Amino acid sequence: MSHLSTEDRLRRLLFLVGECVRRRNEADSEASLCAAICEALTETGGYALACVGTPSIEGFQLFACSCGVDVAEPPSWEHTARLRHPMTTLELFGEPYDFGVLRIVAASAAGFEADEQAVLERIADDLSGSIAILRANAAHRQMESQLRQLSRALESSSNGVMITSSTQLNHPIVYVNPAFERITGYSAAEVTGQSGHFLVRDDLNQKGLTEIRAALRGQREGHAILRNYRKDGQLFWNELNIAPVRDEGGGITTHFVSIIDDVSERIAYEQQLEYHATHDVLTGLANRSLLNDRIAQAIARARQDQKMVGVLLLDLDRFKLINDGFGHLPADNLLRTVAERLAGCVRDTDTVARLGGDEFVVVVTDIDDADGVSIVGAKILRALAQPLSVAEKELFVTASIGIAMYPRDGDHGESLLRNADVAMYRVKEHGRNNYRFYAPEMSQMALDRLDMEGNLRRAIERDELQVYYQPILSLASGRVVGAEALLRWNHPRIGMIQPSEFIPLAEETGLIIELGDLVLHTVCRQIRAWQEAGLPAPRVAINISARQFRQEDLVEHVRHILDETGVAGSALEFELTESMVMHDIENTLLTLRDLKSLGAALSLDDFGTGYSSLSYLKRFPIDTLKIDRSFVRDIDHDADDAAIAHAVIAMAHSLGLDVIAEGVETEAQLEQLRGYDCDRFQGYLFSRPVPAGEFTLLLQTGKSIPAKGERP
Ligand code: C2E
Ligand code: MG
Ligand code: MG
């Protein structure tokens, strides 16, 4: 411009500034703005070239460019510096980074006047300022659109959202969405400005609250399931997630966003499932599984606090009569009433459970002595003594209660329940409607005569009876040549019950017939199984009771079972006792002959404890004599017993009978028996009675003792 007069130059500069301002105001983007300013500079300012360069990896790159007449557009930023005339390059400052540079090439070699240079610098500054404004506007628009999206999402979310300010004390609510209003019943207007605490009301004893408080304090994310309350007071389960919102620098937490998920239905479902798994459906009391947990917990606590736990097992007396007489529904109602009364007799911290049927258990915790439990026992009896109405009739129920105490009577649930059961049976035996503490002697006589029949019947139905086998060995060969079938009762609570405890009672009640049948069947099937497995099935001795022996069709019955199972009679041996055969000699003889005709062997059990009349025995078709355990026991150190055993064996042999010694427990006894030429023996020395599976193993391995004359 220096070729112009000062006046013209100033006028042109003025025009240029005006044009720049006009064009800047029209521009709506960085590109159009830069292009417009460059054009104003060449068209109005008359410069040879004006261009904007923006920073790039290799310096600058051409962003906008305008050329005067006769000037060709440069292909790149580098080329803009190659024009002949002087040029000025002005910085376009910006925050946080500079935008670039504005380069202007003079129209002539004279270059730029000082005032002209000053105006161009102002134009560059104005351009920087305008770019900054455009950029800010764009950022703002973007943020606004994001916010709009976000708020649409919040409004339509099915989860409640609550935003609280964390820069103020008390964390006041600044925003809640419609779902929050729907879930809680509170409107946005009601809660804005308040602290979010009102949702938990005074239900402050919640584990989840601790977690949420810690997250708020630590300004971190948090998650918990809380009991919250709606405006109408109704409880709902809130699966709450909270997250801090930090300021732009990422340092200070300004807000917390809480996402509220109403999971009441899910929790209700879970609680229902858990309830069913742990409670008795009929009465709502704890069931066996929960009871076991509770007893375990009670014991753990009592161990720590040096206290006692009382386990009361309660069985209603003659409930069966009510059930049979009135039907199930009234009986169920009665059980419910009993459950309520029981629950009313103990503290909340104690447990009342129903094991099924008419059996209940009460666990009394935190007590110092048995007296505390006596009080509960008496209280229960009193509570039950109140008349009950069943099917519109007044009824009196009583109960028998057995009590076992931790630590005295056991240190785990199973043993305590078992012993309480033993004590309970004792109560039944002694007139019912009472309670009793367990005493170790009771275990000997666990079952009550009166309940025996029902119990045994159930045992047969429930497969609680098992046949064990005790091997019988030949002294000559040292091998297993037979087995004695011995009955066991595996009672679910009492455990293994020995035959001496139930055989005599079964005999009295007549149930022995059924038991005998069961043994006969089981044994025959077992023999068959051994035979089919190719094992050397031994002859199995079966004990016959007096009542069974007098059964009219005993022999027919045995024959039938043999046919049914396909086992030969010779696979069996029947054990009888002297007292059985000494009655009604004629009939006895007939039965014995019939049994023999099946091919079975006959032996006389427990010899030495009855008449022990050998001469009499001559008349019976007996094959074997079993010397009772009581003679064998002292055979190695009691001269009398030894003499008797020796004589019995010798006389038996002279009558053509084999001899089995029972109850051989020591090597010394066995040695003595060898000396007397005893034929066979059984006893703990070689094996106790074992379940069929174990006996099968014994057959498979061919376990034996040294044969006669052989040294071990
Ligand atoms: P038992 O017929 O005299 O049976 C022998 C008893 O002596 C068995 O007792 C057996 O376990 C035991 N015993 C065997 N070896 C030894 C030993 O070395 N030492 C000691 N101390 N004992 C030994 P368990 O099994 O208790 O049977 C007792 C009785 O019950 C039997 O006496 C038998 O009279 C009767 N019994 C068992 N099972 C049946 C059955 O199925 N039917 C009938 N009617 N009575 C049975
Ligand atoms: Mg026997
Ligand atoms: Mg015996």
Side-chain angles (χ1 to χ4, degrees):
M1 265 188 221
S2 37
H3 59 284
L4 301 175
S5 70
T6 308
E7 201 176 312
D8 285 346
R9 220 186 60 232
L10 286 177
R11 193 179 307 125
R12 189 181 274 200
L13 279 177
L14 215 64
F15 274 141
L16 175 62
V17 169
E19 194 58 18
C20 282
V21 169
R22 190 180 66 76
R23 294 198 185 203
R24 171 251 272 166
N25 287 345
E26 282 172 1
D28 58 1
S29 70
E30 280 177 47
S32 65
L33 174 66
C34 291
I37 297 299
C38 290
E39 273 164 26
L41 283 165
T42 52
E43 287 166 17
T44 311
Y47 294 106
L49 181 127
C51 56
V52 172
T54 51
S56 76
I57 311 166
E58 296 122 16
F60 287 100
Q61 70 182 33
L62 213 47
F63 179 67
C65 183
S66 178
C67 305
V69 234
D70 298 336
V71 179
E73 184 162 338
S76 73
W77 181 257
E78 282 71 43
H79 287 83
T80 62
R82 294 189 193 155
L83 288 170
R84 265 184 300 127
H85 299 303
M87 59 181 186
T88 177
T89 304
L90 307 163
E91 297 218 36
L92 299 174
F93 298 107
E95 278 289 335
Y97 309 107
D98 289 346
F99 299 128
V101 289
L102 173 64
R103 175 167 284 172
I104 303 163
V105 181
S108 71
F112 306 94
E113 295 289 329
D115 51 0
E116 185 185 354
Q117 178 73 29
V119 169
L120 292 178
E121 278 169 17
R122 286 304 302 272
I123 289 176
D125 284 350
D126 188 68
L127 179 58
S128 308
S130 302
I131 292 174
I133 289 169
L134 278 174
R135 288 200 173 174
N137 284 346
H140 190 73
R141 272 197 306 278
Q142 198 190 352
M143 193 135 86
E144 271 191 336
S145 118
Q146 276 175 349
L147 274 176
R148 260 197 309 278
Q149 272 178 8
L150 198 66
S151 102
R152 265 201 299 277
L154 282 180
E155 299 290 310
S156 58
S157 161
S158 61
N159 288 338
V161 176
M162 171 172 91
I163 300 176
T164 49
S165 162
S166 56
T167 49
Q168 297 172 58
L169 223 73
N170 227 19
H171 291 242
I173 295 174
V174 295
Y175 169 86
V176 296
N177 72 345
F180 176 98
E181 298 181 303
R182 199 185 61 242
I183 294 171
T184 65
Y186 292 100
S187 72
E190 277 175 299
V191 299
T192 310
Q194 288 210 42
S195 150
H197 279 147
F198 62 87
L199 285 176
V200 284
R201 302 207 171 182
D202 50 8
D203 189 357
L204 297 174
N205 195 6
Q206 302 191 43
K207 225 170 51 203
L209 279 179
T210 322
E211 156 63 10
I212 296 297
R213 285 199 197 105
L216 287 171
R217 233 179 296 117
Q219 309 204 328
R220 56 169 173 81
E221 291 184 2
H223 169 258
I225 295 183
L226 298 176
R227 284 187 299 276
N228 278 183
Y229 297 87
R230 300 184 218 278
K231 191 178 174 185
D232 61 8
Q234 197 196 347
L235 170 110
F236 73 96
W237 288 93
N238 174 5
E239 176 155 21
L240 178 64
N241 278 289
I242 65 168
V245 181
R246 305 196 205 281
D247 68 356
E248 273 169 41
I252 300 164
T253 299
T254 59
H255 294 87
F256 262 96
V257 179
S258 306
I259 312 284
I260 291 164
D261 196 357
D262 180 356
V263 292
S264 304
E265 260 180 51
R266 192 188 82 203
I267 300 270
Y269 182 64
E270 285 170 3
Q271 284 176 339
Q272 216 181 344
L273 280 185
E274 158 142 5
Y275 185 85
H276 277 293
T278 51
H279 288 78
D280 169 45
V281 187
L282 178 68
T283 60
L285 295 177
N287 68 7
R288 189 181 287 273
S289 128
L290 183 57
L291 171 71
N292 287 336
D293 282 356
R294 293 277 175 82
I295 297 182
Q297 282 169 17
I299 288 177
R301 228 174 309 120
R303 188 173 287 141
Q304 214 170 41
D305 305 345
Q306 309 262 307
K307 296 260 186 179
M308 292 175 131
V309 178
V311 173
L312 294 82
L313 183 90
L314 176 151
D315 189 283
L316 297 182
D317 298 327
R318 301 194 173 83
F319 179 71
K320 199 171 172 302
L321 289 181
I322 297 173
N323 216 344
D324 293 348
F326 293 89
H328 284 304
L329 271 175
D332 281 355
N333 284 334
L334 182 139
L335 289 174
R336 276 194 210 100
T337 312
V338 168
E340 277 165 29
R341 291 190 185 177
L342 288 178
C345 291
V346 294
R347 291 172 294 189
D348 285 348
T349 46
D350 296 336
T351 299
V352 182
R354 176 169 172 249
L355 294 187
D358 59 339
E359 268 190 351
F360 296 86
V361 174
V362 177
V363 183
V364 186
T365 54
D366 194 25
I367 40 170
D368 296 311
D369 50 33
D371 287 351
V373 186
S374 296
I375 293 170
V376 176
K379 201 165 157 191
I380 290 175
L381 292 177
R382 268 202 310 279
L384 293 181
Q386 303 302 313
L388 268 157
S389 98
V390 174
E392 287 164 12
K393 282 204 179 64
E394 279 226 324
L395 255 186
F396 289 89
V397 281
T398 57
S400 302
I401 306 175
I403 306 174
M405 304 282 300
Y406 165 83
R408 197 177 66 194
D409 307 324
D411 57 3
H412 56 91
E414 209 181 298
S415 57
L416 288 172
L417 281 172
R418 190 174 53 230
N419 289 337
D421 192 81
V422 168
M424 191 267 287
Y425 271 107
R426 264 310 168 83
V427 177
K428 295 250 182 221
E429 235 176 43
H430 288 82
R432 303 160 198 253
N433 191 24
N434 211 337
Y435 66 86
R436 241 172 216 254
F437 283 89
Y438 170 78
E441 313 82 74
M442 290 180 178
S443 289
Q444 303 306 317
M445 249 306 288
L447 289 170
D448 155 35
R449 266 160 202 278
L450 297 174
D451 280 328
M452 183 72 207
E453 195 173 339
N455 249 297
L456 251 183
R457 267 188 214 292
R458 260 191 305 167
I460 296 172
E461 277 163 27
R462 293 181 190 173
D463 249 5
E464 290 169 15
L465 292 154
Q466 270 175 289
V467 175
Y468 275 41
Y469 299 85
Q470 185 175 38
I472 298 174
L473 286 87
S474 149
L475 278 163
S477 69
R479 294 181 180 284
V480 176
V481 291
E484 178 172 5
L486 294 159
L487 205 47
R488 294 289 178 268
W489 180 357
N490 196 355
H491 191 282
R493 279 193 313 271
I494 299 177
M496 227 21 123
I497 305 180
Q498 299 305 312
S500 58
E501 291 187 58
F502 64 91
I503 296 279
L505 294 163
E507 176 95 354
E508 267 174 52
T509 55
L511 259 175
I512 193 73
I513 303 283
E514 255 179 86
L515 289 188
D517 234 40
L518 186 138
V519 174
L520 207 59
H521 257 112
T522 311
V523 168
C524 287
R525 274 198 297 268
Q526 187 59 59
I527 292 175
R528 179 82 210 199
W530 283 326
Q531 286 169 347
E532 278 169 4
L535 292 168
R539 175 173 261 179
V540 180
I542 292 177
N543 292 283
I544 298 283
S545 82
R547 193 142 174 172
Q548 233 179 328
F549 189 70
R550 287 196 302 275
Q551 213 184 328
E552 292 249 345
D553 55 352
L554 173 70
V555 179
E556 266 321 294
H557 199 66
V558 174
R559 197 195 310 276
H560 179 75
I561 292 176
L562 288 172
D563 287 348
E564 198 182 287
T565 49
V567 170
S570 57
L572 297 181
E573 175 159 351
F574 293 104
E575 295 193 3
L576 317 159
T577 56
E578 285 174 280
S579 52
M580 279 157 61
V581 294
M582 293 301 178
H583 280 97
D584 191 4
I585 309 278
E586 292 316 307
N587 272 322
T588 297
L589 266 172
L590 284 177
T591 312
L592 292 181
R593 283 200 191 109
D594 285 349
L595 283 174
K596 281 224 65 138
S597 73
L598 295 174
L602 299 178
S603 57
L604 200 65
D605 205 355
D606 306 338
F607 188 80
T609 58
Y611 304 86
S612 309
S613 159
L614 279 171
S615 59
Y616 221 68
L617 284 179
K618 262 200 309 207
R619 304 179 53 187
F620 299 120
I622 303 269
D623 306 286
T624 311
L625 248 177
K626 296 188 79 167
I627 306 183
D628 191 67
R629 197 171 78 226
S630 52
F631 294 101
V632 174
R633 195 176 48 219
D634 300 323
I635 198 173
D636 56 326
H637 54 263
D638 184 316
D640 290 342
D641 279 348
I644 294 171
H646 195 176
V648 168
I649 294 171
M651 281 191 281
H653 281 166
S654 72
L655 288 170
L657 301 175
D658 258 12
V659 178
I660 298 180
E662 288 187 310
V664 177
E665 294 183 359
T666 67
E667 200 60 60
Q669 293 165 343
L670 190 66
E671 202 44 49
Q672 200 91 359
L673 290 163
R674 273 203 185 100
Y676 303 153
D677 227 9
C678 182
D679 304 281
R680 284 172 273 165
F681 81 98
Q682 69 188 88
Y684 296 172
L685 175 64
F686 183 74
S687 167
R688 289 177 176 263
V690 293
E694 258 175 70
F695 197 90
T696 307
L697 274 179
L698 217 123
L699 291 179
Q700 281 165 343
T701 54
K703 188 182 162 196
S704 60
I705 58 162
K708 193 171 181 174
E710 245 177 49
R711 283 290 112 204

